[in-house]
Amino acid sequence: MTLIRIVSVTALLSYIFLLFLIRKEWHRREVRSFALFLVGMLIWQLGATAATFTSNPEVAVWCYRLAMGPGLMFAVFYAQFTRDYLRIRKHRWIMQLGYSSLVVSSVYILAGGPYVIEGIAPMPGTGFLVPELGPVALIQATIAYAFLFYAAANLILRYRQISDPPARARIRYLVVGLLLVFFGSISNLNPGLRGYPIDMVANALNAALIAITILRLDLFEISRAVRAGLAYAIPTATITAIYFVTIYLAVTLLHLAFGVELILGMLAVSVALSLLLEPLRSIAQARLDRIFFRDKYDMGQMLQRLSRMVAAVLDVHQVAAMMLAEITTTMHVTRAVLLLQDKESGNYLPLAERGFDGQAQVTPLGGDNPIPRWLKKRATCLAQHTVLVEPLFVGLWAEERLALEQAKIELFVPLLVGEDLVGILVLGPKRSEVPYSPEEQLTLLTLANQAAVAVQNARLYQIALEEKERTETIVQQAFSGIMVIDPSMRIVAWNRGAETITGYASRAILGQRLPEVFGPELWGEESALKRTMVTGQTQLPVELGIGNKNDVRDVLLGVTPLRDGYLLNFTDVTHLKEVDRLKSNIVSNVSHELRTPLALIKGYTELLIDGYEGDDQGLRLNFLSIIDSETDRLATFINDLLDLSRLQSGRVEQDFELLYLGKLIKEVTMALEIQRRQNNTLIRLEIPDDLPPILANSELMLSMTRNLIGNAIKYSPDGGEIRIQACAVGGQFILNVIDQGIGIAPEDLPQLFTRFYRSWTARQSGLRGTGLGLVLVKEAVELHGGTITVESQMNVGTRFTVTLPIPSAESTAKSSPVGLELQGAAT
Amino acid sequence: MTDKDRILIIDDDNLMAQLVNLYLAKAGFEVFVAHSGREGLQEVDQHHPDLIVLDITMPEMDGWEVCSRIRQIDDIPIIMLTARGQESDKARGLKMGANDYMLKPFSLRELEARIGAVLRGSRLSAPSTGHLLHADEELVSDSDKLEVDVPGSRLPILS
């Protein structure tokens, strides 16, 4: 009698305790359905318990109606719980069927319809009022059993599929509990057993099993406070019990042995016990702590490890990989991805992942996707079920939802730096399939924020590194010389341009002081560097020569003050200066060549006008011939100059025509007859009559031959012989002009065809010349695709050989040869 | 010393040297001609001219070098007579110690006038000390006071 009542009340209280345990997790679907199951059990238990306390048959019947009607709903709720817990989405109709049928029959039973409880009689022995069940009650019970079966089947099927030990253990406990409930209920079908509270005991045991599952196996994450309370209450209670029992025993034993109560002995025993039990207590406390708070310790350690690590590592990929490795191993997470914001697009792209092994990938999230927006706004973790219920995420496309489900994503953790969402840590379910507790979410959030800072640091470092590399490449590859010196004038940077310009390798130069390498033009009192040091202002480039290993280079040097040193930046202008020098040389040469004949013409004219000492007819004529020849010289020079500039403008080619060069040579020789006679030289022409024509510009050919033959006459000694040979060999027209003149020194040969250059022998001869004739010859020959070579021996003679291409027969046929009319050739 | 001022013409161009020679001879100078820089330096040593008419563009030793060599030992007035018309050449010539710079083509009359002017100027400012020292070791000149110290007596230059 009393026993049954105690069992009933205990079962009732255990359900209330379970409800208390799970109260914090009601926002989760499976916890809600579990709570409904507990409420059902509670109602059932309430009915059954109430029935044991009454002797009024009317009340007992109503109690049993309550238990049989809404009470039996617990079976459906339990089935619903297994579906939610195991995430079963198929066969929704089963549940709909269950709900509708049970609701209908429950209403019927509660409303007091017939065929539910057909009679009630006190049970012999106990005196409890036991009902006689009608067909409706039996149907109701059958449906309830069917759903218990269904729930059991769900659990067992899943149990066979999974391999994760904690998950299996949890399902095992649930199945055992369920079987207890099942068999307890079945005992009610036997009228002989109905009076005994077997079902109640079974239900109470089930409740205990579930409680164990919750507490030990994380069926649901219960509140930290409950665990903490248990963790401290259990060792304290145990120790206190041991304390009292020991003292009681000691007192009794002492009393038995000595027949006296030794108060002082008691004290000694209790002190000894306190001393002995205290370490025991701490050991037990530590054990329990580890049981209840194991994951907390692990996570604490993980946080510590990761914060140490992320502070030290500067590579984004490494940080990401280490973070994912830690999280997946410590928190037993199946899979994890770190998405990082792409700076350009603003999208979140996977940087590192773990545990996917080629399965469904996490697709990149756009910057405008609701998930990053939510994370940024709330700055907290986002669980997948929130994604499914929050109205904000209605905007997600069906495919995106599907992708999320397929990738089995459970939690999104924001990586925040201030307001900036730099990345998202995406986590799959834990191995235990238990949802992430608020504690874990908080840990992950802390971790993610640390990681965010680390990622940001690593990125900044990466950017800085890339920027540095880029700048270094630019500086290194610049053609300008770049040198950086520190305030003590020690060279700390030296680029390739500087190496090229100065010829000093950076290896040799770095670390040296400026005065050890360069002259005072770079660092002396007057230098741009000194001015910058004094004024702190940038000096615009100035031209100066800097000495180096081999020679002096002309550079443009500018100086810029840096934070700790100076930047010297120089460009090689040696070549430009050389060109500039050549140009001004040409200008001064031209001016010289124009002014000298003019001065003579003017001077002698003046002399003729003013008169002079020893005025006579002969001298006067002499002066006039000087004026005449200087005028010619001026004219020739101007002609040569114009020819040269015409050649350089490259517009001569259009004037090409077929030309008999042999004939032209003979005509030029005739035109130079006066000069030949003046110089008293012999000219021997060795030119066959049947030479083929060449394609050439007649004016240029004229000036070329006139220059060559004219030179030969000019520099030949009295009575010297000049041979002019022409022949056609192998498609080439070859012209030789050989004299017995003063010759050209070997060192002059390389520069013979340089403008205004006159060989030493020519200058020594006192003969006038402009230094343009041979330049013209060479330019003209090369324009026609020919070559010119010169051999010479001092005081023996010189031989110029000109080779010009003879055009093929067909191109010759196109235009008929043109006879050449010689214009007055004067030299 | 004769009363005629002695002019040395250094020019590699025969015709030019002849022209200047003819004109200056008629104008009453004693004229020497040298056809190269080296020859010119020898003439300076030998004849101690009162003034040099110097061409710049010459083979081997050009007018610049001749000028600087003369200035190392002497300050004989030098008139540069050249076809090099650039301003930088003119400035360079005057900086190197030339007293005047004339550009070809030139007027013979102007040349004569400039020679006269330079000679007057040089007589007013300073005697050619180096030359005199070269001539007589005991003779010391004081260009500031326009006096010459000859052992035993002190003579003003312009007397």
Side-chain angles (χ1 to χ4, degrees):
Chain A
M1 184 79 195
T2 322
L3 179 72
I4 292 175
R5 282 187 183 138
I6 288 172
V7 169
S8 296
V9 172
T10 310
L12 200 63
L13 287 176
S14 67
Y15 293 129
I16 292 168
F17 173 65
L18 278 179
L19 273 171
F20 170 76
L21 276 187
I22 62 169
R23 77 192 191 285
K24 287 246 166 125
E25 296 289 319
W26 280 357
H27 62 271
R28 281 160 54 188
R29 201 181 163 90
E30 68 265 33
V31 175
R32 281 201 300 271
S33 49
F34 187 72
L36 283 173
F37 154 70
L38 286 179
V39 169
M41 287 295 266
L42 210 60
I43 293 168
W44 185 86
Q45 195 63 48
L46 209 60
T49 309
T52 60
F53 283 96
T54 184
S55 51
N56 183 344
E58 285 283 302
V59 174
V61 165
W62 276 106
C63 287
Y64 281 119
R65 280 183 186 270
L66 190 67
M68 292 304 295
L72 277 183
M73 289 284 278
F74 80 82
V76 193
F77 291 136
Y78 196 78
Q80 180 67 54
F81 159 69
T82 57
R83 282 174 63 93
D84 289 343
Y85 179 60
L86 302 173
R87 304 241 188 320
I88 296 168
R89 306 247 190 285
K90 292 181 293 185
H91 310 309
R92 213 166 266 220
W93 58 270
I94 295 180
M95 296 315 297
Q96 281 158 0
L97 193 72
Y99 284 127
S100 45
S101 60
L102 277 180
V103 166
V104 169
S105 58
S106 294
V107 170
Y108 177 81
I109 291 167
L110 265 185
Y115 308 115
V116 180
I117 292 169
E118 293 186 327
I120 192 151
M123 207 188 115
T126 59
F128 283 135
L129 292 166
V130 178
E132 195 176 317
L133 297 175
V136 175
L138 288 178
I139 292 169
Q140 175 83 341
T142 311
I143 297 171
Y145 286 136
F147 275 95
L148 285 181
F149 266 123
Y150 174 63
N154 280 342
L155 287 171
I156 290 166
L157 278 177
R158 178 57 57 90
Y159 180 80
R160 290 177 55 157
Q161 282 169 9
I162 59 171
S163 55
D164 185 36
R168 281 173 78 101
R170 277 196 296 273
I171 292 179
R172 207 157 45 222
Y173 277 91
L174 288 176
V175 170
V176 170
L178 189 59
L179 290 176
L180 281 172
V181 173
F182 188 65
F183 288 118
S185 314
I186 274 184
S187 72
N188 281 344
L189 293 179
N190 186 337
L193 291 174
R194 205 171 292 160
Y196 300 99
I198 298 172
D199 48 356
M200 290 182 197
V201 173
N203 288 351
L205 280 174
N206 179 33
L209 277 174
I210 293 171
I212 289 170
T213 321
I214 290 173
L215 281 175
R216 288 296 308 274
L217 298 170
D218 296 339
L219 180 66
F220 306 122
E221 282 296 316
I222 56 158
S223 74
R224 205 40 75 172
V226 173
R227 284 198 193 203
L230 287 174
Y232 289 98
I234 291 171
T236 311
T238 313
I239 296 295
T240 315
I242 293 170
Y243 193 79
F244 278 108
V245 166
T246 315
I247 288 180
Y248 175 76
L249 281 175
V251 169
T252 314
L253 283 172
L254 283 169
H255 189 69
L256 282 176
F258 304 105
V260 284
E261 294 189 25
L262 290 171
I263 304 298
L264 279 175
M266 292 309 100
L267 262 174
V269 170
S270 59
V271 167
L273 270 176
S274 308
L275 289 173
L276 276 172
L277 288 176
E278 186 48 38
L280 212 68
R281 204 192 80 93
S282 9
I283 292 167
Q285 185 74 60
R287 277 283 154 82
L288 281 165
D289 275 355
R290 206 154 296 167
I291 291 168
F292 284 106
F293 300 104
R294 188 196 63 231
D295 51 346
K296 187 184 163 193
Y297 276 96
D298 289 353
M299 284 198 291
Q301 281 175 2
M302 175 179 78
L303 258 183
Q304 206 183 354
R305 272 197 302 275
L306 279 177
S307 20
R308 238 196 343 254
M309 175 192 85
V310 294
V313 181
L314 279 173
D315 180 69
V316 182
H317 293 270
Q318 209 177 339
V319 167
M322 286 163 104
M323 200 170 104
L324 293 188
E326 277 288 349
I327 291 171
T328 46
T329 44
T330 309
M331 297 184 93
H332 305 290
V333 175
T334 47
R335 51 190 66 188
V337 187
L338 187 69
L339 301 177
L340 213 59
Q341 191 175 31
D342 181 47
K343 279 287 166 215
E344 274 157 36
S345 60
N347 294 339
Y348 294 86
L349 311 177
L351 174 75
E353 55 183 45
R354 205 178 158 87
F356 277 86
D357 307 322
Q359 294 176 29
Q361 297 289 301
V362 172
T363 45
L365 292 175
D368 52 352
N369 186 296
I371 293 174
R373 288 216 318 268
W374 192 93
L375 290 172
K376 201 168 170 177
K377 207 172 96 192
R378 302 282 184 89
T380 177
C381 296
L382 170 64
Q384 201 235 351
H385 60 79
T386 316
V387 175
L388 296 177
V389 296
E390 282 258 339
L392 176 70
F393 300 105
V394 174
L396 278 181
W397 295 347
E399 301 143 54
E400 286 178 309
R401 283 169 181 275
L402 196 68
L404 282 181
E405 271 180 35
Q406 275 177 353
K408 289 192 182 153
I409 285 161
E410 184 93 12
L411 197 68
F412 297 92
V413 189
L415 270 69
L416 287 158
V417 176
E419 299 262 294
D420 224 2
L421 183 68
V422 297
I424 304 170
L425 175 65
V426 181
L427 297 177
K430 291 200 282 183
R431 260 178 229 299
S432 55
E433 304 216 356
V434 174
Y436 292 91
S437 67
E439 290 278 320
E440 285 172 325
Q441 293 190 10
L442 202 64
T443 307
L444 284 168
L445 208 57
T446 315
L447 182 63
N449 286 342
Q450 278 189 0
V453 174
V455 163
Q456 196 78 330
N457 281 349
R459 278 186 146 190
L460 288 176
Y461 179 74
Q462 195 70 26
I463 290 169
L465 210 66
E466 277 165 19
E467 195 59 36
K468 184 169 174 271
E469 265 171 30
R470 215 166 63 92
T471 315
E472 257 173 22
T473 312
I474 292 170
V475 168
Q476 265 307 320
Q477 300 303 327
F479 289 114
S480 291
I482 291 170
M483 160 176 24
V484 177
I485 57 167
D486 65 10
S488 67
M489 287 206 210
R490 203 167 289 285
I491 299 168
V492 292
W494 186 254
N495 78 339
R496 207 163 294 172
E499 286 186 348
T500 315
I501 293 170
T502 62
Y504 292 121
S506 61
R507 241 178 310 111
I509 214 100
L510 287 176
Q512 302 248 51
R513 291 190 66 241
L514 205 54
E516 290 163 7
V517 188
F518 292 102
E521 67 273 7
L522 266 187
W523 47 266
E525 289 305 319
E526 297 289 299
S527 66
L529 175 61
K530 215 40 174 220
R531 279 205 300 281
T532 298
M533 283 177 162
V534 173
T535 64
Q537 284 168 350
T538 299
Q539 300 294 326
L540 293 176
V542 288
E543 210 174 283
L544 66 108
I546 56 169
N548 74 1
K549 258 191 278 187
N550 311 315
D551 58 344
V552 171
R553 309 294 298 182
D554 291 306
V555 298
L556 273 179
L557 174 90
V559 184
T560 312
L562 300 176
R563 205 170 39 186
D564 53 349
Y566 302 92
L567 169 72
L568 279 75
N569 171 339
F570 48 96
T571 314
D572 194 350
V573 292
T574 312
H575 180 67
L576 290 177
K577 280 204 83 169
E578 179 63 19
V579 169
D580 187 50
R581 199 184 58 76
L582 277 177
K583 273 252 146 82
S584 69
N585 246 0
I586 286 170
V587 168
S588 90
N589 269 316
V590 168
S591 115
H592 186 262
E593 288 308 313
L594 289 173
R595 283 174 190 283
T596 306
L598 270 178
L600 289 171
I601 293 164
K602 183 178 164 54
Y604 281 100
T605 313
E606 214 179 331
L607 216 56
L608 281 172
I609 293 166
D610 283 7
Y612 48 92
E613 266 187 359
D615 189 354
D616 69 13
Q617 188 67 22
L619 264 179
R620 211 175 282 181
L621 275 177
N622 185 16
F623 293 171
L624 283 172
S625 78
I626 291 172
I627 291 168
D628 180 50
S629 73
E630 288 304 313
T631 312
D632 284 347
R633 179 182 164 195
L634 206 55
T636 312
F637 177 73
I638 289 167
N639 275 336
D640 284 356
L641 215 56
L642 291 178
D643 279 352
L644 252 181
S645 79
R646 211 150 57 88
L647 268 172
Q648 282 181 332
S649 72
R651 265 176 298 161
V652 195
E653 259 173 291
Q654 282 100 359
D655 310 333
F656 277 23
E657 60 195 352
L658 279 176
L659 186 74
Y660 287 100
L661 196 55
K663 201 173 149 208
L664 184 120
I665 294 163
K666 284 176 193 164
E667 283 164 355
V668 168
T669 314
M670 286 215 306
L672 290 170
E673 184 59 19
I674 305 166
Q675 230 177 303
R676 186 194 68 79
R677 233 180 278 161
Q678 275 177 355
N679 276 40
N680 192 23
T681 47
L682 288 169
I683 294 185
R684 204 157 78 206
L685 287 172
E686 298 166 24
I687 302 170
D689 285 333
D690 57 347
L691 284 174
I694 60 164
L695 207 56
N697 177 288
S698 58
E699 293 224 4
L700 286 175
M701 286 296 109
L702 189 66
S703 118
M704 177 203 72
T705 39
R706 194 170 54 205
N707 264 300
L708 279 180
I709 300 168
N711 272 351
I713 297 170
K714 192 155 105 184
Y715 297 111
S716 281
D718 200 48
E721 189 193 60
I722 298 160
R723 289 164 66 196
I724 301 170
Q725 303 169 327
C727 60
V729 179
Q732 301 284 329
F733 188 103
I734 296 166
L735 167 67
N736 282 316
V737 178
I738 306 153
D739 66 42
Q740 298 172 335
I742 51 174
I744 302 160
E747 60 269 24
D748 281 332
L749 284 175
Q751 298 184 73
L752 202 60
F753 299 104
T754 309
R755 240 179 252 205
F756 298 108
Y757 185 83
R758 294 194 69 212
S759 72
W760 184 78
T761 43
R763 279 177 285 145
Q764 280 308 109
S765 70
L767 292 166
R768 296 179 170 281
T770 58
L772 283 183
L774 282 176
V775 185
L776 239 163
V777 170
K778 188 172 197 270
E779 295 266 344
V781 169
E782 286 179 351
L783 186 83
H784 289 83
T787 55
I788 181 163
T789 53
V790 56
E791 299 159 51
S792 186
Q793 213 176 334
M794 295 270 280
N795 299 318
V796 175
T798 307
R799 173 206 197 99
F800 282 94
T801 306
V802 172
T803 313
L804 291 163
I806 298 171
S808 58
E810 42 189 272
S811 61
T812 320
K814 278 183 197 157
S815 54
S816 59
V818 176
L820 190 78
E821 203 179 316
L822 204 72
Q823 293 126 16
T827 307
Chain B
M1 276 193 203
T2 59
D3 5 348
K4 276 187 178 176
D5 283 312
R6 291 184 293 184
I7 311 288
L8 172 63
I9 300 164
I10 307 176
D11 199 321
D12 63 325
D13 189 328
N14 241 334
L15 295 176
M16 187 59 71
Q18 184 199 329
L19 173 71
V20 178
N21 184 0
L22 278 172
Y23 192 85
L24 292 184
K26 190 195 153 214
F29 293 101
E30 190 181 349
V31 184
F32 306 93
V33 172
H35 291 295
S36 73
R38 203 168 299 281
E39 205 181 313
L41 288 177
Q42 284 168 9
E43 290 286 319
V44 170
D45 233 24
Q46 213 173 320
H47 300 287
H48 316 307
D50 298 300
L51 186 140
I52 301 168
V53 175
L54 181 61
D55 183 24
I56 292 173
T57 317
M58 290 187 291
E60 284 181 88
M61 188 189 286
D62 62 19
W64 306 123
E65 196 176 339
V66 174
C67 181
S68 73
R69 285 200 186 195
I70 290 171
R71 280 288 170 267
Q72 274 170 24
I73 53 161
D74 211 324
D75 54 2
I76 306 172
I78 295 174
I79 296 180
M80 284 186 163
L81 182 63
T82 173
R84 297 179 68 109
Q86 276 168 300
E87 204 168 273
S88 60
D89 291 322
K90 200 166 183 173
R92 185 177 170 194
L94 293 174
K95 265 188 198 163
M96 284 183 81
N99 302 59
D100 207 342
Y101 192 97
M102 279 189 77
L103 191 58
K104 294 174 187 175
F106 60 97
S107 152
L108 286 166
R109 282 184 287 270
E110 190 186 336
L111 176 66
E112 186 198 344
R114 283 190 187 228
I115 288 172
V118 169
L119 281 174
R120 271 197 307 283
S122 77
R123 284 203 188 98
L124 273 172
S125 59
S128 42
T129 43
H131 166 62
L132 282 174
L133 275 171
H134 202 251
D136 191 338
E137 297 277 317
E138 288 179 79
L139 201 75
V140 180
S141 74
D142 186 338
S143 58
D144 287 342
K145 294 173 187 167
L146 295 180
E147 284 173 346
V148 178
D149 283 344
V150 182
S153 69
R154 174 172 279 214
L155 303 170
I157 289 176
L158 297 174
S159 55

